[in-house]
Amino acid sequence: MSEKEITTPEVIKTTEIKDLKELTLSNKKSIDRFNFLINKYIPGTKEGYRIIQFTRNEENYEKKKIDRHKNEIFENLLKRKNPKDLQYNEIKEQKLLKLLLKIKNGMPLQRKNALKQISNKSHEFGPSIIFHHILPLMMIPNLEEHERHLLVKVIDRILIRLKYLIRPYVSKILLIVEPLLLEDDYFARTEAREIIASLSKAVGLATMLTALRPDVDNTDEFVRFSCARSLSVVGISLGVNNIIPFIEAVCKSKKSWQARHTGIKVIQQIAILLKSSVRPYVKKFLEIIKHGILDENERIRTLTALTISQLADSIYPNGIEFFHDILQILWKGIKISKNKTFAAFLNAISSIIRLMDTKSKYYYLNEIMGILKLELNNPDLIIKKTLLKIIKFLSSSKKIHLKIFTKEVYKPFFSSFLNKKILKDKYLLKEVKQTTELLAVKVGPNMVISDLLEYYKSNDKTLNSFTVEILYLILTNKNHTSLLNENIKRQLFEHSLLLLKMNYIDEQGNFSKLLCLQINFFFNLALNSFNKIAASLKNKLTSINPDIRKQASEIISHLDILRNKEEFKIYSDKFLIILFESMNEENQEVLAVLLNAFKKLYDCHDFTRINPTPKILMAKIIPILKCSNVSVKFNTIELINIIARKAGLYITPKEWMRIGFDLLEIFKAKKKSVRRIAINTFGQISKIIGPIDLMTGLISNLKVQDRHIRICTTVAMAVISESCSPFTTLPYLMKEYQDGDTNIENGVLKALAFIFEYIGEISEDYVYGISSLIEKAMTHSNLVHRQICCNILQVKIN
């Protein structure tokens, strides 16, 4: 080959393209070569195209990690170009990306300002640039919930501003938002509905229907369901009457069953969202979907029945006149239906029966009881859910004769519904609990408890735990406990004692509550057996297993008879000593329950002859006060509060001072209940030792650099003012304001703000006294001084 042939442009191009294919892009040199060759042969910015340079992601992220999700969307912000070389659209793009980055990863104030700017400049940016960047951001798979919420907020604000300009992007927006309608999170679904509602109002019904129409008969069920929910929101936003013609056309489609299915689903979703407000449209909706009951497709028949049920539930308790024709068709259809379709038809009929008058209701309830009797042993869980709904309705109905109900419904109930398969389903478990409570009202607690005793004695943990919870719910109703006969009481109590002896523990802790209910209500039985119970509890408190110790402490804390009945005072004294000796407990959860039990017993005793004495007890619980567990801290402070109220003089003032300053640190606790009890206890201590010593120590705290300590100190001063009157604290504060530095002056003003907030109406007696101080602070050069003064005046004005 000659040199002339090698140097021709065609040959050079061929060799360079060959080099381009062989490049491995493993280092910066090869990447630069790749970009050079690409730029040489493809159209560039002069021809109206925007060229995105290839960069190796790993190297790019090592240079600078813009955000923790490692998005490539904000990559353009890293490129440092001369502002003169940037085109107008690139400037807008960079501005928008900066604002989006602030919204996504910025501080609250930055997010607020960025949201405001995007909203105000939405016309300037234009929908093209905005949605070109926001929609890919929404599609990031690892996007967190709060970030998604912020981006949804951005879209919502932009829709309101841009209105008809977003019509070309409706399909893309729906592609992002529709999946949120099927999320488990309630707030995500609400946000999605708000966006679709705003979108509908912005672009109009025609555009929305055009965008959603392709998904109506989609083969993917997920797509159809999201489309149905979107159409229901569109209909509610723009008026249900406006969308009814479209729904009718879809429901009567002969080409595909998927379209009919989606149309009926739309009506169901409208009924769910509108609830009782759907009443004006019920007649028209029933006319549209009536044919679906006899449709050849089983799924459409099932959905139609469920939709009818939803419409009936939405307009309860009136509106039976809409369902007369439908009821006859349903009644015929139920006889030839099976499985899910049968359950849906039964559900629809039971919902319609609820709307009937007394006479019609009695006839249909007797008819439905025959079906119920046949289907009680059906293993299908969907049918079980429907049967439970009907049994609940029958239990609350007074028109069904008790003997018939007991024979036909009640007797087979437990054998049909109390098994592992049903109790593992959370929804069914909840329904069975509610139904059993209603049965106890209908047939009486004696019959229900006698039947439940068999399951109470069962070795199966699932059944046993469920029975314990149900028995507890029944016995909490005082009307039920008064109706129980002695034999049922004795059997129940004896087996509960047996389980206590066997160290039975359930996860929810209902057994300890159930046993305490029985001991508190069945007084005679408890009195005869309490020696055994006390011995068992004593052994449990010294057990190796922390769960057993915790259960014993819970039982003692729930036993009201130990505090209210004189016959049990001996046991109460013994338990106090045992609990006091157990306060070295290492497990914090057990210690919290133990302190709660001790606190309740200690509060009801005579402090002149109590064991342990307040002084000994205080020495024991002060180290526990520094425990990190919230429950332990709360119960310890409450115990100190009890001692301060009832036996404050038994502790020396020096000790109370030390406790008071320990409590000061707890004023900044995260949990409100802990802060509240700490403040109340500090108030009790200030009453015991007086304000003088406390104020001297607190004023020295105002000189500390730590802001949290200074704020806690000012709150403590307000508590002292509330407990010991403001005239005990105000002279100290006014003197310190004149002599102190900036920190002390700020602290004094903050303390005054809290004091006037705490003392309320009494503050009017002290306005004249502090007016000179307020006047001086209001004219102070320091901005913070003036701000706190305004807060003080605001408290007084309110």
Short mmCIF file of all heavy atoms in Angstrom, two decimals, residues 570-605:
data_model
loop_
_atom_site.label_atom_id
_atom_site.label_comp_id
_atom_site.label_asym_id
_atom_site.label_seq_id
_atom_site.Cartn_x
_atom_site.Cartn_y
_atom_site.Cartn_z
N ILE A 570 -50.69 -7.46 104.89
CA ILE A 570 -49.52 -8.25 105.30
C ILE A 570 -48.70 -8.63 104.06
O ILE A 570 -47.47 -8.51 104.04
CB ILE A 570 -49.96 -9.55 106.03
CG1 ILE A 570 -50.81 -9.19 107.25
CG2 ILE A 570 -48.76 -10.38 106.46
CD1 ILE A 570 -51.59 -10.33 107.82
N TYR A 571 -49.41 -9.07 103.03
CA TYR A 571 -48.73 -9.45 101.79
C TYR A 571 -48.08 -8.23 101.13
O TYR A 571 -46.99 -8.32 100.56
CB TYR A 571 -49.71 -10.10 100.81
CG TYR A 571 -50.36 -11.35 101.34
CD1 TYR A 571 -51.71 -11.35 101.71
CD2 TYR A 571 -49.64 -12.53 101.48
CE1 TYR A 571 -52.31 -12.49 102.19
CE2 TYR A 571 -50.24 -13.68 101.97
CZ TYR A 571 -51.58 -13.66 102.33
OH TYR A 571 -52.17 -14.79 102.80
N SER A 572 -48.76 -7.10 101.23
CA SER A 572 -48.23 -5.87 100.65
C SER A 572 -46.90 -5.49 101.26
O SER A 572 -45.95 -5.11 100.56
CB SER A 572 -49.26 -4.74 100.85
OG SER A 572 -48.79 -3.55 100.31
N ASP A 573 -46.77 -5.61 102.60
CA ASP A 573 -45.52 -5.30 103.31
C ASP A 573 -44.40 -6.25 102.87
O ASP A 573 -43.25 -5.83 102.66
CB ASP A 573 -45.72 -5.41 104.82
CG ASP A 573 -46.67 -4.34 105.34
OD1 ASP A 573 -46.81 -3.30 104.67
OD2 ASP A 573 -47.28 -4.55 106.40
N LYS A 574 -44.76 -7.52 102.71
CA LYS A 574 -43.75 -8.51 102.30
C LYS A 574 -43.25 -8.23 100.89
O LYS A 574 -42.05 -8.31 100.61
CB LYS A 574 -44.35 -9.92 102.37
CG LYS A 574 -44.56 -10.42 103.80
CD LYS A 574 -45.18 -11.81 103.79
CE LYS A 574 -45.41 -12.31 105.21
NZ LYS A 574 -46.07 -13.64 105.23
N PHE A 575 -44.19 -7.91 99.99
CA PHE A 575 -43.81 -7.62 98.61
C PHE A 575 -42.93 -6.37 98.51
O PHE A 575 -42.02 -6.31 97.68
CB PHE A 575 -45.05 -7.44 97.73
CG PHE A 575 -45.72 -8.73 97.34
CD1 PHE A 575 -47.09 -8.88 97.43
CD2 PHE A 575 -44.97 -9.80 96.87
CE1 PHE A 575 -47.72 -10.06 97.07
CE2 PHE A 575 -45.58 -10.99 96.50
CZ PHE A 575 -46.95 -11.12 96.60
N LEU A 576 -43.19 -5.39 99.38
CA LEU A 576 -42.36 -4.18 99.39
C LEU A 576 -40.90 -4.51 99.68
O LEU A 576 -39.99 -4.01 99.01
CB LEU A 576 -42.88 -3.19 100.45
CG LEU A 576 -43.83 -2.09 99.99
CD1 LEU A 576 -44.23 -1.22 101.16
CD2 LEU A 576 -43.21 -1.24 98.90
N ILE A 577 -40.68 -5.35 100.66
CA ILE A 577 -39.31 -5.72 101.05
C ILE A 577 -38.64 -6.50 99.92
O ILE A 577 -37.47 -6.26 99.57
CB ILE A 577 -39.32 -6.55 102.37
CG1 ILE A 577 -39.83 -5.67 103.52
CG2 ILE A 577 -37.93 -7.08 102.69
CD1 ILE A 577 -40.23 -6.43 104.75
N ILE A 578 -39.40 -7.45 99.34
CA ILE A 578 -38.83 -8.27 98.25
C ILE A 578 -38.48 -7.39 97.05
O ILE A 578 -37.40 -7.53 96.44
CB ILE A 578 -39.83 -9.38 97.83
CG1 ILE A 578 -40.05 -10.36 98.97
CG2 ILE A 578 -39.31 -10.13 96.61
CD1 ILE A 578 -41.26 -11.27 98.78
N LEU A 579 -39.38 -6.47 96.69
CA LEU A 579 -39.13 -5.58 95.55
C LEU A 579 -37.95 -4.64 95.82
O LEU A 579 -37.15 -4.35 94.92
CB LEU A 579 -40.38 -4.77 95.22
CG LEU A 579 -41.56 -5.54 94.62
CD1 LEU A 579 -42.82 -4.67 94.61
CD2 LEU A 579 -41.25 -6.02 93.21
N PHE A 580 -37.85 -4.18 97.07
CA PHE A 580 -36.73 -3.30 97.45
C PHE A 580 -35.40 -4.03 97.30
O PHE A 580 -34.41 -3.47 96.80
CB PHE A 580 -36.93 -2.82 98.89
CG PHE A 580 -35.79 -1.98 99.40
CD1 PHE A 580 -35.62 -0.67 98.96
CD2 PHE A 580 -34.87 -2.50 100.31
CE1 PHE A 580 -34.56 0.10 99.41
CE2 PHE A 580 -33.81 -1.74 100.76
CZ PHE A 580 -33.65 -0.43 100.32
N GLU A 581 -35.38 -5.28 97.71
CA GLU A 581 -34.15 -6.07 97.61
C GLU A 581 -33.81 -6.41 96.16
O GLU A 581 -32.65 -6.72 95.84
CB GLU A 581 -34.30 -7.38 98.42
CG GLU A 581 -34.31 -7.13 99.92
CD GLU A 581 -34.70 -8.37 100.71
OE1 GLU A 581 -35.08 -9.39 100.07
OE2 GLU A 581 -34.65 -8.33 101.95
N SER A 582 -34.81 -6.36 95.28
CA SER A 582 -34.60 -6.70 93.86
C SER A 582 -34.21 -5.49 93.02
O SER A 582 -34.10 -5.59 91.79
CB SER A 582 -35.87 -7.32 93.28
OG SER A 582 -36.29 -8.43 94.02
N MET A 583 -33.98 -4.34 93.65
CA MET A 583 -33.70 -3.12 92.89
C MET A 583 -32.31 -3.08 92.26
O MET A 583 -31.98 -2.12 91.56
CB MET A 583 -33.90 -1.88 93.76
CG MET A 583 -35.35 -1.47 93.86
SD MET A 583 -35.54 0.09 94.70
CE MET A 583 -37.31 0.18 94.86
N ASN A 584 -31.52 -4.11 92.53
CA ASN A 584 -30.20 -4.20 91.87
C ASN A 584 -30.30 -4.88 90.50
O ASN A 584 -29.29 -5.27 89.92
CB ASN A 584 -29.23 -4.99 92.76
CG ASN A 584 -28.97 -4.28 94.07
OD1 ASN A 584 -28.88 -3.06 94.11
ND2 ASN A 584 -28.86 -5.04 95.15
N GLU A 585 -31.54 -5.01 90.01
CA GLU A 585 -31.83 -5.67 88.73
C GLU A 585 -31.01 -5.05 87.59
O GLU A 585 -30.96 -3.84 87.44
CB GLU A 585 -33.32 -5.55 88.44
CG GLU A 585 -33.78 -6.08 87.12
CD GLU A 585 -33.61 -7.58 86.99
OE1 GLU A 585 -34.15 -8.30 87.85
OE2 GLU A 585 -32.93 -8.00 86.05
N GLU A 586 -30.38 -5.91 86.80
CA GLU A 586 -29.55 -5.44 85.69
C GLU A 586 -30.36 -5.19 84.42
O GLU A 586 -30.06 -4.28 83.65
CB GLU A 586 -28.45 -6.48 85.40
CG GLU A 586 -27.42 -6.58 86.52
CD GLU A 586 -26.36 -7.61 86.23
OE1 GLU A 586 -26.42 -8.24 85.16
OE2 GLU A 586 -25.45 -7.78 87.07
N ASN A 587 -31.38 -6.02 84.20
CA ASN A 587 -32.23 -5.86 83.01
C ASN A 587 -33.11 -4.62 83.19
O ASN A 587 -33.93 -4.55 84.12
CB ASN A 587 -33.09 -7.11 82.83
CG ASN A 587 -33.82 -7.12 81.51
OD1 ASN A 587 -34.51 -6.16 81.17
ND2 ASN A 587 -33.67 -8.18 80.76
N GLN A 588 -32.96 -3.64 82.30
CA GLN A 588 -33.63 -2.36 82.48
C GLN A 588 -35.15 -2.45 82.30
O GLN A 588 -35.90 -1.74 82.98
CB GLN A 588 -33.06 -1.32 81.51
CG GLN A 588 -31.61 -0.99 81.83
CD GLN A 588 -31.10 0.20 81.06
OE1 GLN A 588 -31.74 0.71 80.16
NE2 GLN A 588 -29.90 0.65 81.39
N GLU A 589 -35.62 -3.29 81.40
CA GLU A 589 -37.07 -3.46 81.20
C GLU A 589 -37.72 -4.04 82.45
O GLU A 589 -38.79 -3.60 82.88
CB GLU A 589 -37.33 -4.37 80.00
CG GLU A 589 -37.05 -3.71 78.66
CD GLU A 589 -37.40 -4.61 77.49
OE1 GLU A 589 -38.05 -5.65 77.70
OE2 GLU A 589 -37.03 -4.27 76.36
N VAL A 590 -37.07 -5.04 83.05
CA VAL A 590 -37.58 -5.65 84.29
C VAL A 590 -37.54 -4.62 85.41
O VAL A 590 -38.49 -4.52 86.20
CB VAL A 590 -36.75 -6.90 84.66
CG1 VAL A 590 -37.25 -7.51 85.96
CG2 VAL A 590 -36.80 -7.93 83.55
N LEU A 591 -36.45 -3.85 85.48
CA LEU A 591 -36.31 -2.84 86.53
C LEU A 591 -37.41 -1.78 86.44
O LEU A 591 -37.93 -1.33 87.47
CB LEU A 591 -34.93 -2.17 86.42
CG LEU A 591 -34.58 -1.11 87.47
CD1 LEU A 591 -34.64 -1.69 88.87
CD2 LEU A 591 -33.20 -0.51 87.20
N ALA A 592 -37.78 -1.39 85.23
CA ALA A 592 -38.84 -0.39 85.03
C ALA A 592 -40.17 -0.90 85.59
O ALA A 592 -40.89 -0.18 86.31
CB ALA A 592 -38.99 -0.07 83.55
N VAL A 593 -40.52 -2.16 85.28
CA VAL A 593 -41.77 -2.75 85.78
C VAL A 593 -41.72 -2.93 87.29
O VAL A 593 -42.71 -2.69 88.00
CB VAL A 593 -42.04 -4.11 85.07
CG1 VAL A 593 -43.32 -4.74 85.58
CG2 VAL A 593 -42.09 -3.94 83.57
N LEU A 594 -40.55 -3.34 87.79
CA LEU A 594 -40.37 -3.54 89.23
C LEU A 594 -40.55 -2.22 89.99
O LEU A 594 -41.22 -2.17 91.03
CB LEU A 594 -38.96 -4.12 89.46
CG LEU A 594 -38.63 -4.66 90.84
CD1 LEU A 594 -37.74 -5.89 90.71
CD2 LEU A 594 -37.89 -3.62 91.67
N LEU A 595 -39.95 -1.15 89.49
CA LEU A 595 -40.10 0.18 90.12
C LEU A 595 -41.55 0.65 90.09
O LEU A 595 -42.03 1.29 91.04
CB LEU A 595 -39.21 1.19 89.41
CG LEU A 595 -37.71 1.13 89.73
CD1 LEU A 595 -36.92 1.95 88.73
CD2 LEU A 595 -37.44 1.61 91.15
N ASN A 596 -42.26 0.35 88.99
CA ASN A 596 -43.67 0.71 88.87
C ASN A 596 -44.50 0.02 89.95
O ASN A 596 -45.36 0.63 90.58
CB ASN A 596 -44.17 0.35 87.48
CG ASN A 596 -45.57 0.82 87.22
OD1 ASN A 596 -45.97 1.89 87.66
ND2 ASN A 596 -46.34 0.03 86.51
N ALA A 597 -44.24 -1.29 90.14
CA ALA A 597 -44.96 -2.06 91.17
C ALA A 597 -44.64 -1.52 92.56
O ALA A 597 -45.54 -1.32 93.40
CB ALA A 597 -44.58 -3.54 91.07
N PHE A 598 -43.35 -1.26 92.83
CA PHE A 598 -42.93 -0.74 94.14
C PHE A 598 -43.55 0.63 94.41
O PHE A 598 -44.03 0.89 95.52
CB PHE A 598 -41.40 -0.64 94.17
CG PHE A 598 -40.85 -0.24 95.51
CD1 PHE A 598 -40.54 -1.20 96.46
CD2 PHE A 598 -40.65 1.10 95.83
CE1 PHE A 598 -40.04 -0.83 97.70
CE2 PHE A 598 -40.16 1.47 97.06
CZ PHE A 598 -39.84 0.51 98.01
N LYS A 599 -43.55 1.47 93.40
CA LYS A 599 -44.11 2.83 93.53
C LYS A 599 -45.58 2.80 93.94
O LYS A 599 -46.02 3.54 94.83
CB LYS A 599 -43.93 3.53 92.18
CG LYS A 599 -44.62 4.85 91.99
CD LYS A 599 -44.54 5.27 90.54
CE LYS A 599 -45.48 4.45 89.68
NZ LYS A 599 -45.42 4.81 88.25
N LYS A 600 -46.36 1.91 93.29
CA LYS A 600 -47.81 1.82 93.59
C LYS A 600 -48.06 1.33 95.00
O LYS A 600 -48.96 1.83 95.69
CB LYS A 600 -48.49 0.90 92.58
CG LYS A 600 -48.61 1.50 91.20
CD LYS A 600 -49.32 0.57 90.23
CE LYS A 600 -49.49 1.19 88.86
NZ LYS A 600 -50.17 0.29 87.91
N LEU A 601 -47.26 0.36 95.45
CA LEU A 601 -47.43 -0.16 96.83
C LEU A 601 -46.95 0.87 97.86
O LEU A 601 -47.58 1.05 98.90
CB LEU A 601 -46.63 -1.46 96.99
CG LEU A 601 -47.15 -2.70 96.25
CD1 LEU A 601 -46.21 -3.87 96.47
CD2 LEU A 601 -48.55 -3.06 96.71
N TYR A 602 -45.85 1.53 97.56
CA TYR A 602 -45.26 2.49 98.51
C TYR A 602 -46.17 3.69 98.73
O TYR A 602 -46.23 4.25 99.83
CB TYR A 602 -43.90 2.94 97.97
CG TYR A 602 -42.93 3.41 99.04
CD1 TYR A 602 -42.31 2.50 99.87
CD2 TYR A 602 -42.65 4.76 99.19
CE1 TYR A 602 -41.41 2.92 100.84
CE2 TYR A 602 -41.75 5.19 100.15
CZ TYR A 602 -41.14 4.26 100.97
OH TYR A 602 -40.25 4.68 101.95
N ASP A 603 -46.88 4.08 97.70
CA ASP A 603 -47.74 5.27 97.76
C ASP A 603 -48.93 5.09 98.71
O ASP A 603 -49.45 6.06 99.26
CB ASP A 603 -48.25 5.60 96.35
CG ASP A 603 -48.85 6.98 96.26
OD1 ASP A 603 -48.57 7.82 97.14
OD2 ASP A 603 -49.60 7.24 95.30
N CYS A 604 -49.38 3.84 98.89
CA CYS A 604 -50.59 3.62 99.71
C CYS A 604 -50.26 3.24 101.16
O CYS A 604 -51.16 2.89 101.92
CB CYS A 604 -51.45 2.53 99.06
SG CYS A 604 -50.67 0.92 99.02
N HIS A 605 -48.98 3.30 101.57
CA HIS A 605 -48.59 2.92 102.93
C HIS A 605 -48.49 4.13 103.85
O HIS A 605 -48.34 5.26 103.39
CB HIS A 605 -47.25 2.18 102.90
CG HIS A 605 -47.39 0.71 102.73
ND1 HIS A 605 -47.82 0.14 101.56
CD2 HIS A 605 -47.17 -0.33 103.60
CE1 HIS A 605 -47.85 -1.18 101.68
NE2 HIS A 605 -47.47 -1.48 102.91
#
